[in-house]
Amino acid sequence: MSLRVGRPIRRVPRRIRPFVVLAATIVAAAPVAAQSAPKVTAADYDRAVRFLRPNVDPLVIGGQVIAHWLPDGRFWYRSEVVGGHEFIMVNPSRKSRSRAFDHAAIAAAISKAMDSTFGEKSLPFQSFDLAADRKSIEFDAGKSHWRCELNGSACTRLGERDEPERSMRFRGGGEDDGGVKSPDGKKVAFIRDWNLWLRDVATGEEKQLTTDGVENFGYATDNAGWKHSDRAILLWSPDSKKIATQQQDERNVGNMYLVHTSKKGHPVLQEWKYPLPGDSVVAMLERVVIAVESGKVVRLKMPRDYHRATLGDDISMDDYQFSPDGSKLALVSTSRDHKSATFRIADTRTGDVRTVFEETVPTQFESRTGWRVLWGTNELIWYSQRDNWGQLYLYDLNAGKLKNKITDGEGPVSQIVNVDEKARTVWYVALGREPGQDPYFRHLYRIGLDGKHVASLTPEVGDHTVQLSPDARFIVDTYSQPDVPPVVVLRDAKGKVVMQLEKTDISRLLAMGWKPPISVKMKGPDGKTVIYGQMFVPTNLDSTKKYPIINNPYPGPQSGSVGSRSFAAARGDRQALAELGFVVVTIDGMGTPNRSKSFHDYYYGKMGRDNTLPSQITAMKQLAERYKFIDIDRVGIYGHSGGGFATADAMFRYPDFFDVGISESGNHDQRQYEDDWGERYQGLLVRNADGSDNYDQEANQNLAKNLKGHLLLAHGAVDDNVPPYNTLLVVDALIKANKDFDLLILPNARHGYGVDSDYMMRRRWDYFVRWLLGTEPPKEYDIGAATRVVGSR
């Protein structure tokens, strides 16, 4: 439903208010802003729709390689070409690239077998397996699994198509795909009735592994409050003989409730465990190892762990690692406030646990790369930001002592790609280490475990994503920039280019009028730190005119506003919105990741008082000085989730700067959002003698009385990530303050809105057109229908 709460008063931008007072005495029928603003028509919306992802992505041809490596050192990938796709085989040793098989012959054979018609660029499968004799391929097409001779002589149906393994729902009845297959492919572990079960893949025979699991105290259960499913959270040992998991105790954790609107009969209550910051009881984990054959459950001899991980706010099996023979299990325990990470090694037969070392930080510890145990030498590659940058360190597991620092210098390490224990070498991805390049560009490096002989393997300017061959002899490197389309090359282990694989064709994209976002950099609120972002302007920009500016922030702190610096034809609806007559900016403010630790911690413990908003404001002012077509007296802001939180915060905390805001699904009060996220970035809830606490200053409802501009609040009614009560707290405060605002509740929509997303987008465009441009939008424009029309051309 959509509600207009309070008396509808058009707020006129500051720049023209004195004129409006005079004009209103002459013409009272309509605000002057609406009279003087250019009319926005359905044709303008049509032009905007052309820049949405479904319409621009098909205009980008090629430039993607997902390598499927074969035992003989070759690999194949599916390549997009004009008119469809084809399968390419690459032989790195011979530097050859050709079609993987005779596409025309296979198309004719499978067309005959399926009684259909397929062309050589429209084969009915996405992947294939090459037979050992290299004379045939197998694949799934339709509802069947097929084998086709490479010469096209015949295609044979082998049976039903392969399906993911199925498992039973642990809350009783029905099938789900939440099972986890063993490394040898013979068994699947799944949850039923809060216990862990096994299914034999070949026979379908089932075996119950645990018997003491009870409601809300089950094995391998997946529930982080904001995230809950029936999938099993566990790790198999490399030899497929043991399973590491946890029995998660949520029996006394508080519940969350949502009501699903039913088309017939009573509404349906949804209820699950959802701990909140400050709760005296939160989810706790008892770590266990289960012997598959005997069913013996070994409970590790250690205190219960909080439901925490070294990265993110969910249980992560990345925080476990078996030894090759399964006799030992390495794991990390994270404190409730995320300030401490303890590395331990357990004996999987006895349950004995040895604490190796502990790292404690003043704010919050996180590991962007995870960690690796080198079992053969009893060493550990550990990630830490102790020198203000994300670096890798080498530890002695026997003594629990640091041996040496592996990486050094400015720019954070973000990924461990490969470790060669015999050569004592590690491949890793880092950002900001190439002089003169955007600090958010990723590059691949190699270095010795002793911290010596670092090599830059992908030096070309751009953001690089890499795939390493199983033997680490070759690198598939895809690199691009926001305004430079992807190039894919094959490199040798030293980084030398062996051959080019793909070069993206964007000629059709450019022909339709597409232009890339403008990369911008400004000074942060401290006056020293450089911050980066992107600016989107109308493709028909008239630099002699003035355009309102709209900010689309995501303050994180777990991620930033801009996202990847790789090429993308569309980034949300930012360019589409700009086409309606706006300048749209997205800026990674201080407090977001992928820079230094101090940059990331900039607003730790003050999530509302900062929320990157000082960065956003100072950056927009600098851009307005630099680009005279920006009207800094007409400012809008919109965001989703954390961006929705920041948007309402902006409208309340800086009411004389922001004129129009659209806050979607905001976590407006972290006390109403799951415990793990708030307690990581805001700290543990501390109550004061007067009844207040350290979360009060960050809660948007406490500032709602400051609203001056136009604010649209939106939320999905069954949002199980950020429950809608977050927005209702703000609504209640606005009503009590007698403030005018708009409210849009999307029945049965979850956090991402799903089928309602196009409707929300249209309402967002309408709101900015009406209140920031000062004119009426076309009535009830249908973005979905328009997209289908454009896509069919």
Side-chain angles (χ1 to χ4, degrees), residues 1-207:
M1 62 180 174
S2 178
L3 300 178
R4 177 64 179 170
V5 184
R7 184 165 53 90
I9 300 176
R10 183 188 299 269
R11 183 174 182 234
V12 181
R14 293 185 294 274
R15 183 173 62 86
I16 56 177
R17 276 180 206 144
F19 176 68
V20 172
V21 173
L22 175 63
T25 62
I26 303 172
V27 182
V32 169
Q35 292 178 337
S36 59
K39 184 175 178 59
V40 177
T41 66
D44 295 316
Y45 273 50
D46 286 344
R47 186 178 67 255
V49 164
R50 293 175 62 232
F51 290 90
L52 293 176
R53 176 169 283 109
N55 297 321
V56 293
D57 276 2
L59 303 180
V60 178
I61 305 299
Q64 294 184 351
V65 172
I66 299 177
H68 299 264
W69 293 91
L70 302 176
D72 61 8
R74 296 181 301 160
F75 68 90
W76 65 265
Y77 67 93
R78 184 176 181 270
S79 175
E80 293 182 4
V81 295
V82 176
H85 62 268
E86 59 186 13
F87 295 93
I88 300 298
M89 184 70 73
V90 177
N91 188 324
S93 298
R94 296 183 178 180
K95 301 181 182 181
S96 65
R97 176 190 182 278
S98 60
R99 278 189 166 185
F101 46 80
D102 187 333
H103 286 50
I106 295 293
I110 193 64
S111 295
K112 181 178 179 181
M114 294 183 68
D115 192 22
S116 187
T117 302
F118 302 105
E120 60 180 291
K121 293 183 180 180
S122 59
L123 294 170
F125 51 92
Q126 304 293 313
S127 64
F128 66 88
D129 291 316
L130 181 66
D133 61 6
R134 303 184 186 181
K135 294 182 179 180
S136 64
I137 57 174
E138 291 187 18
F139 54 84
D140 290 327
K143 297 181 179 180
S144 303
H145 189 68
W146 299 86
R147 178 190 293 128
C148 287
E149 303 303 315
L150 287 183
N151 61 12
S153 59
C155 281
T156 306
R157 183 181 182 276
L158 301 181
E160 298 297 317
R161 69 179 294 145
D162 293 340
E163 294 288 352
E165 295 298 331
R166 314 296 288 181
S167 69
M168 301 298 289
R169 293 182 183 272
F170 64 81
R171 287 185 174 86
E175 290 191 338
D176 194 22
D177 58 352
V180 180
K181 185 179 286 188
S182 60
D184 62 12
K186 295 180 179 180
K187 297 178 178 64
V188 173
F190 64 97
I191 301 169
R192 179 184 292 155
D193 296 329
W194 304 95
N195 280 292
L196 203 57
W197 288 65
L198 280 183
R199 179 181 298 113
D200 187 281
V201 172
T203 66
E205 181 182 354
E206 296 180 347
K207 171 186 175 181

Side-chain angles (χ1 to χ4, degrees), residues 707-725:
L707 178 66
K708 293 181 181 179
H710 289 277
L711 175 63
L712 169 61
L713 297 164
H715 219 114
V718 289
D719 186 340
D720 54 355
N721 182 337
V722 180
Y725 315 114

Side-chain angles (χ1 to χ4, degrees), residues 272-283:
W272 75 103
K273 297 296 180 178
Y274 194 110
L276 300 172
D279 279 0
S280 59
V281 179
V282 296

